[in-house]
Amino acid sequence: MSSPAPARPRPVHQAADLLAAYLPGSFYYSSARGSLLADGVYAPVHAAPGKRARAAAEVLDAALVAGVTEPVVAGAIGFRPDAPSSLVVPALVRKAGPPKASGPVAPLGGNWTVSPRPAPEVYTTAVAKALDEIRDGDLRKIVLARCLDVTGGDPVAVPRLLARLVHADPAAHAFAVDVSAPGDAAPRTLVGASPELLVSRRGRVVTANPLAGSRPRVADDAENSRRVKDLLASEKDRDEHAHVAAQVAEVLGRFCVDLDVPAEPEVIGTPTMWHLSTTISGRLADPADAGSSALGLAEALHPTPAVCGVPTALARDTIAALEPEDRGYYAGLVGWTDQDGDGEWVVTIRCAEVRDRTVRLFAGAGVVAGSDPAAELAETGAKFGTMLRALGLEGAE
C-alpha cells in the first residue's frame, strides 16, 4: 500500500509583495486587519439588494465543494438600491498581514486638467436648498456630494495610485476593485483609502466605527490641537455624529447581544482630516445565520446617515434630486466575506473611479440645521485631499 503524498507547505505571503503584485482587474484590500489580493472569477454573486448575503453563502458553499481553497466573496456595492455590484468569488486568494509604512512611491506623471462637477456655486446652491428642506419638512440630515474629474495626457497607472494611497496611510482601508460594466469603452477601477469601517466580524465579535463631523488637518500642531478641541465642542458636528452612531447601534442591536456603545465620541485623524468617531462592538446572537455574516450586516447597515441622511428614504430621494452626477459606487460598500461569515466592509469614501486617462473623485459633507453652504463646500474640498495627494495634485480642488 502506497503512502499518501506529503502535503506541500502553504506559501507565506508578505503584505508588500501582495501590493506589488496588484494589477488592474484584481481585487485588492488592506487594513490594520491584514491584506488580501484576489484574482480571477470562480463565480459571480447575483442577487437583489438585501439578499446578497444568502446568495453569497450559497456560492461559497458550492466553491468549497468544488475544491476552491478558502474561498471569499469580494467586491463592491453601489450607493442606491438599484446601483450595480461587482461581487464575485475569486478563483485565487492570497492573504498577508497589514501593510507597513515604507519609503515614498514615485508620483504619477502627467499634465492634469481638473473639472469640478458641479461647479462650486451650484453645489452651495444645492446645500442651501437642502437646508430649506430641513427647515420646512421632515428631513433632518442629508449628505451632499460633488465630483472632480481629473484628466491626464496618458492612461492612469492604477497600481502606482493604489501604492501611493497605501504608503501614505497604511492603517487606512485601502482598496482597488474592477467595476467595469458591459458597454464600457475602457476598464473601470474603484480605488481609494477609506477611513470608515462599516462593519467587521470575527467569529461572534462584531465591530463598527461610524464617522461623522470633520475638520481639515493641517501641518501646524498647535492649529490641529485647536481644531480637535473645536470639533469635540461643536454642537452641530456632535448632532450630525449622533444621528450616525444611533442608527448603526440600532441596526446592530437587531443582531447582537452585549452591544457596547460609548456615550461620547472621540477624535481620530487621517493624513488629511480629523473625524468624530465612535467604535461600537457586540456579540452576535446567531452567528450561523447568513444574515449575520459580515456581508449581511453590511447590507443591513447600508446606507448609514454618514453618507445618506435621516430619514434614509427621504434623504436618498433628495440626494437624487439635488446631485447632478450619479454616485455609482461612491458611498457604497467595498470589502470581503469568507465561508465562515467573517470579513470586513467599509464605506466607499475617499475614493475615485479610474477609467483610461480620467479619475473621477468624490467627496461629500453632512448637512444639518445650522450648516453653512460655504463651510460644506470647503469640507468636501478637504476630503478630496486624500486622492489629490495620491495624484500629486494637493490643493487642486
Side-chain angles (χ1 to χ4, degrees):
M1 184 174 179
S2 61
S3 301
R8 293 182 178 180
R10 296 180 60 185
V12 177
H13 302 292
Q14 300 298 318
D17 295 332
L18 295 191
L19 180 59
Y22 167 78
L23 291 172
S26 302
F27 173 89
Y28 176 89
Y29 181 94
S30 66
S31 70
R33 179 170 177 165
S35 304
L36 185 153
L37 179 64
D39 292 291
V41 177
Y42 166 77
V45 178
H46 297 305
K51 299 181 179 179
R52 296 186 179 101
R54 299 192 185 281
E58 293 174 0
V59 176
L60 285 169
D61 287 344
L64 277 173
V65 172
V68 178
T69 303
E70 296 184 357
V72 303
V73 168
I77 299 172
F79 171 69
R80 292 188 61 83
D82 58 353
S85 71
S86 66
L87 299 180
V88 300
V89 174
L92 174 65
V93 174
R94 288 165 281 179
K95 296 181 181 179
K100 299 178 181 179
S102 62
V105 179
L108 282 76
N111 296 317
W112 301 103
T113 300
V114 180
S115 303
R117 299 183 182 274
E121 61 272 17
V122 176
Y123 179 80
T124 54
T125 297
V127 173
K129 291 179 179 178
L131 286 168
D132 290 341
E133 296 276 354
I134 291 171
R135 184 184 64 247
D136 299 335
D138 297 325
L139 190 64
R140 289 185 286 160
K141 176 186 175 178
I142 183 172
V143 178
L144 289 180
R146 64 188 183 103
C147 307
L148 292 180
D149 279 353
V150 180
T151 304
D154 298 306
V156 177
V158 177
R160 191 183 304 171
L161 176 59
L162 174 64
R164 284 177 62 83
L165 288 167
V166 173
H167 289 294
D169 187 3
H173 307 272
F175 52 87
V177 189
D178 182 3
V179 293
S180 302
D184 282 346
R188 279 192 298 153
T189 304
L190 178 71
V191 60
S194 176
E196 185 163 3
L197 172 66
L198 180 65
V199 65
S200 73
R201 172 184 149 165
R202 289 186 177 181
R204 294 187 63 178
V205 178
V206 171
T207 305
N209 184 206
L211 308 179
S214 307
R215 293 288 185 278
R217 187 169 188 161
V218 294
D220 182 79
D221 289 342
E223 176 60 16
N224 279 325
S225 179
R226 188 196 70 77
R227 293 186 181 197
V228 168
K229 291 178 181 178
D230 178 65
L231 182 56
L232 283 168
S234 168
E235 182 178 349
K236 178 260 184 188
D237 288 283
R238 290 176 70 95
D239 181 57
E240 180 184 347
H241 184 83
H243 284 310
V244 182
Q247 190 206 51
V248 171
E250 189 276 325
V251 173
L252 291 183
R254 304 173 202 164
F255 299 88
C256 292
V257 294
D258 303 323
L259 197 66
D260 179 23
V261 185
E264 295 287 327
E266 59 181 1
V267 174
I268 64 169
T270 72
T272 59
M273 298 293 296
W274 299 105
H275 296 284
L276 287 179
S277 162
T278 297
T279 300
I280 299 170
S281 60
R283 289 177 58 80
L284 289 171
D286 184 8
D289 179 31
S292 294
S293 70
L295 176 56
L297 296 170
E299 281 199 284
L301 287 163
H302 176 63
T304 74
V307 292
C308 185
V310 179
T312 302
L314 178 58
R316 192 152 45 188
D317 289 344
T318 307
I319 286 168
L322 293 179
E323 290 184 6
E325 303 292 338
D326 185 88
R327 290 187 174 188
Y329 285 95
Y330 166 69
L333 315 174
V334 63
W336 60 274
T337 297
D338 67 17
Q339 70 271 21
D340 296 321
D342 290 353
E344 191 167 273
W345 293 84
V346 298
V347 183
T348 48
I349 55 176
R350 311 299 187 273
C351 65
E353 283 193 13
V354 181
R355 180 164 52 184
D356 195 30
R357 298 183 299 112
T358 299
V359 185
R360 171 163 285 189
L361 286 63
F362 300 87
V367 180
V368 295
S371 290
D372 173 65
E376 305 306 340
L377 177 69
E379 181 174 325
T380 58
K383 289 175 177 176
F384 282 133
T386 297
M387 294 303 302
L388 289 174
R389 289 175 75 175
L391 291 166
L393 286 169
E394 188 172 10
E397 84 284 352

